Amino acid sequence: MAPTVRQYHLYPTDHIPNSPRPLLHYKHVLATKPGKACCDPGEVWDLFTKNKWNVAWIFRYSDTQLSHFHSEAHECMAVLSGTASIRFGVADLSDDLYENTYGLAWERGGITLEAEAGDVFIIPAGIAHKTYDTKPRASSLKLPSPGSAHGIEADDPRKSLSEIDLDGYTMMGAYNGGDWDFVQKGGVFEKSWAVPKPKLDPIFGDGEQGLVKVWAGNGETALGRKVSFKDGNAIHAPLAPTSKL
């Protein structure tokens, strides 16, 4: 059976740029280990790296976190174990984690999706996200992958990730377009919107099920001309080369 691909369009708010490209949710797209309710991190690493997405971390999540977005990179989050809710598209309006999670201290709007092992989320640069209500519950955030969460620092990354004993709610994060930052709100919205479209989907590669077809833009160099006038006559010149989007 073909995997379910869901799209969600999230528009700018007072505090969050969000994106003209849709958030993508691939439901049950990753296989779990035989007899277990978790995915093999090594196999997921293989898939992401084959498709030119840079794996940065595996986190075991605590009950909640601050809402944030990444201004310089698109993010792929793969759920390896457990379940959680993820709120997309809106900012926290307080640093009080209880109030901005279960109270009213967050922007109205956005969308909340339920996540479980085998799910993948493709998050365009600029779209806010916040993971909460994780199960099994863990008391604190933990980084079980080697390194500083900006890459897997191991001689054999695949082997290192495969040997991690997953517990609680865990996700693997991979990025395309740049390194991740952690922006809670504000900034220059256009910066996020200009992050180039990836050439490959982290799951489907160049297939039409994923972002290659769904996200706008094709990476071609802009075509056209520069026009000026002298003595009433038009003068045409080629456009200067620009970075591909």
Side-chain angles (χ1 to χ4, degrees):
M1 185 172 65
T4 301
V5 176
R6 300 170 180 170
Q7 302 181 43
Y8 301 92
H9 293 269
L10 296 161
Y11 300 99
T13 72
D14 289 343
H15 301 291
I16 302 296
N18 287 315
S19 177
R21 293 168 171 147
L23 164 72
L24 302 178
H25 182 191
Y26 302 161
K27 195 69 182 171
H28 299 151
V29 73
L30 299 175
T32 54
K33 294 181 180 180
K36 295 186 178 181
C38 62
C39 304
D40 184 335
E43 292 182 359
V44 182
W45 184 88
D46 280 342
L47 187 58
F48 287 177
T49 54
K50 179 184 73 173
N51 289 317
K52 310 301 182 185
W53 284 67
N54 299 315
V55 176
W57 48 259
I58 291 176
F59 277 121
R60 183 201 68 190
Y61 284 70
S62 58
D63 176 60
T64 188
Q65 64 174 172
L66 293 170
S67 181
H68 62 283
F69 66 89
H70 307 300
S71 70
E72 300 180 348
H74 306 301
E75 181 176 34
C76 174
M77 299 194 310
V79 184
L80 302 178
S81 64
T83 65
S85 298
I86 308 179
R87 182 186 301 153
F88 293 95
V90 291
D92 293 336
L93 300 179
S94 165
D95 285 337
D96 184 305
L97 284 172
Y98 183 84
E99 289 300 319
N100 65 36
T101 302
Y102 302 108
L104 298 175
W106 47 283
E107 288 185 293
R108 299 301 90 184
I111 188 169
T112 299
L113 302 178
E114 300 307 312
E116 58 186 322
D119 288 2
V120 169
F121 298 88
I122 314 297
I123 309 171
I127 288 187
H129 47 286
K130 174 191 184 80
T131 300
Y132 68 97
D133 193 23
T134 58
K135 295 181 179 67
R137 191 65 54 86
S139 60
S140 61
L141 181 71
K142 179 182 179 182
L143 177 70
S145 54
S148 61
H150 289 268
I152 307 303
E153 298 176 16
D155 292 336
D156 187 341
R158 188 193 195 284
K159 180 175 183 293
S160 178
L161 295 181
S162 290
E163 292 173 348
I164 293 175
D165 184 17
L166 299 175
D167 68 299
Y169 178 79
T170 60
M171 289 197 292
M172 176 184 290
Y175 298 87
N176 192 288
D179 196 8
W180 65 270
D181 52 7
F182 191 97
V183 185
Q184 290 176 246
K185 55 186 176 181
V188 179
F189 287 9
E190 291 82 359
K191 178 181 178 182
S192 299
W193 300 337
V195 175
K197 175 184 174 180
K199 294 185 181 299
L200 298 172
D201 184 280
I203 300 296
F204 301 116
D206 61 1
E208 293 193 348
Q209 301 102 312
L211 67 80
V212 169
K213 182 175 181 180
V214 173
W215 282 9
N218 57 17
E220 290 183 350
T221 300
L223 298 177
R225 61 189 65 189
K226 183 179 179 180
V227 182
S228 60
F229 285 83
K230 183 176 182 180
D231 299 328
N233 297 312
I235 300 173
H236 300 270
L239 285 177
T242 58
S243 59
K244 294 184 178 181
L245 297 180

